Amino acid sequence: MGLLLVLRAPQPRPKSLRRATRGRRRERHRADADEWATAQERGLLLDVPVEKLLPLLNAAGGNRLPILGQLDPWSDGVLVREDLPQLDADVDRLGAAAAADDAERGLVAALKVLLARWRDEPGLTLHWYGE
């Protein structure tokens, strides 16, 4: 698994599963898996291999990328609609850095498609789920 990017409606802050029973944890993970399968069918999900993303981020400027440079592939987070223009610029910089590798160019193209879907559906936020 890698970094999972999912366009979804804004979510309330999730309750910690630390104190949940095993059954509740399984139920929550099953519900997430069902939602993600539906999102993938609709083109609202992208599973990015971390081992492909990190070298590409480093080649494009690493920490100097305002949005993607702050993205931690081992944690979870949310980007809001106001982040979209800067995220577009970051993905363009990734595209310039991916000039020599077909897999990296494919990853950049998939990110651009996901961002285009986000532009088309303004009520969504971009959630990422790390390893």
Side-chain angles (χ1 to χ4, degrees):
M1 180 173 167
L3 182 67
L4 195 65
L5 301 170
V6 182
L7 289 172
R8 62 194 300 198
Q11 303 290 305
R13 185 180 172 111
K15 293 182 180 176
S16 173
L17 291 179
R18 219 176 329 151
R19 293 187 178 166
T21 65
R22 252 186 254 170
R24 286 184 188 151
R25 283 191 191 105
R26 273 195 302 267
E27 182 180 317
R28 171 83 176 271
H29 293 300
R30 197 172 308 123
D32 285 344
D34 291 343
E35 179 185 351
W36 293 342
T38 302
Q40 189 165 22
E41 289 171 8
R42 294 184 54 214
L44 302 175
L45 180 140
L46 181 61
D47 190 1
V48 179
V50 173
E51 62 275 358
K52 296 213 183 294
L53 179 64
L54 290 180
L56 183 56
L57 284 174
N58 290 335
N63 297 13
R64 293 186 306 262
L65 295 171
I67 301 288
L68 291 177
Q70 307 310 313
L71 190 90
D72 182 359
W74 292 277
S75 68
D76 301 343
V78 178
L79 296 174
V80 294
R81 189 121 184 117
E82 290 76 22
D83 296 323
L84 186 56
Q86 190 59 57
L87 188 56
D88 273 331
D90 284 1
V91 171
D92 287 342
R93 286 184 62 185
L94 286 182
D101 188 330
D102 286 339
E104 289 178 350
R105 280 195 302 271
L107 174 59
V108 171
L111 283 167
K112 287 183 178 189
V113 167
L114 187 67
L115 294 180
R117 287 297 308 261
W118 193 9
R119 267 188 236 80
D120 294 342
E121 299 194 32
L124 302 178
T125 55
L126 181 62
H127 295 250
W128 81 85
Y129 302 95
E131 290 195 336

